[in-house]
Amino acid sequence: MGIKVVCASVIGKSNNPLYIRCFDNTEEPLKFHYIVHSALDVVEEKSTAKKGASLDLYLGMLYPTEDYRVYGYTTNSKIKFIIVVQEDGDSHDQAIKNFFRKFHVLYANTVANPFYTPDDLITSRKFNEELEKQVKTV
C-alpha cells in the first residue's frame, strides 16, 4: 500500500490556513482541519528547537493519531506545510520529504503569480490540479 496523503495544507505566517484540502471522501473534512490545527503547536516547538541547528526544512513526523500520521515542513519565510497520511507502518521518510519539496515548489510558483496577494487563501485551479497529481504519485 505505501502511503496515501489524505489531507494537505498550507499555513501562513500567523498560523492562518491558506489552503486545506482533503483527499479522503470517507472522512469528515472538519476532522482533518482539527488534526492540522493541532499540529501547529508541534510545528512551533520543532521549529524553535531546530533554529540554527539545521538547514533542513523538513520537520518529520509531528505526531501519530489512531489512523493517520501527521508530517510537517516549514519554509524560511515561516510558511508551514502539513500533510496527514495513511501509512502501512513502514518508514517512508524519503518519499514524504520529496513530496514536501514538490509541494513547496508548487506553492512558490503559485505565490509568484502577480495576481496573488500574499497571505490570501490559495484558490488557484492550477494549484489544486497539480497538487492532486502529486498526491496520486506519492
Side-chain angles (χ1 to χ4, degrees):
M1 178 189 151
I3 61 172
K4 177 184 173 190
V5 176
V6 293
C7 180
S9 64
V10 179
I11 309 297
K13 297 174 191 174
S14 307
N15 290 339
N16 54 318
L18 302 178
Y19 181 87
I20 296 181
R21 170 118 185 255
C22 301
F23 300 96
D24 184 359
N25 297 330
T26 61
E27 292 283 350
E28 184 66 35
L30 195 58
K31 176 181 180 176
F32 294 113
H33 284 251
Y34 175 75
I35 291 172
V36 167
H37 184 73
S38 299
L40 289 176
D41 290 334
V42 183
V43 168
E44 293 300 320
E45 201 174 279
K46 284 194 171 198
S47 294
T48 53
K50 273 188 149 184
K51 201 174 272 186
S54 171
L55 297 176
D56 192 14
L57 303 174
Y58 176 64
L59 299 174
M61 185 172 69
L62 303 176
Y63 67 92
T65 67
E66 198 171 303
D67 303 315
Y68 307 106
R69 292 186 182 169
V70 183
Y71 290 87
Y73 181 96
T74 185
T75 68
N76 292 329
S77 58
K78 306 283 188 253
I79 301 296
K80 301 152 204 77
F81 298 92
I82 298 172
I83 61 171
V84 181
V85 299
Q86 224 171 7
E87 291 184 308
D88 58 10
D90 295 336
S91 178
H92 298 282
D93 242 22
Q94 195 57 46
I96 292 171
K97 250 185 192 182
N98 291 337
F99 176 81
F100 273 124
R101 285 193 185 110
K102 291 176 187 172
F103 194 10
H104 187 181
V105 168
L106 178 61
Y107 169 77
N109 290 341
T110 301
V111 298
N113 181 335
F115 298 108
Y116 176 78
T117 307
D119 247 11
D120 263 1
L121 292 177
I122 298 172
T123 57
S124 166
R125 189 183 82 236
K126 184 175 182 191
F127 184 86
N128 265 332
E129 291 168 357
E130 291 297 320
L131 184 59
E132 196 164 334
K133 283 181 197 171
Q134 285 183 16
V135 164
K136 288 179 181 175
T137 60
V138 173

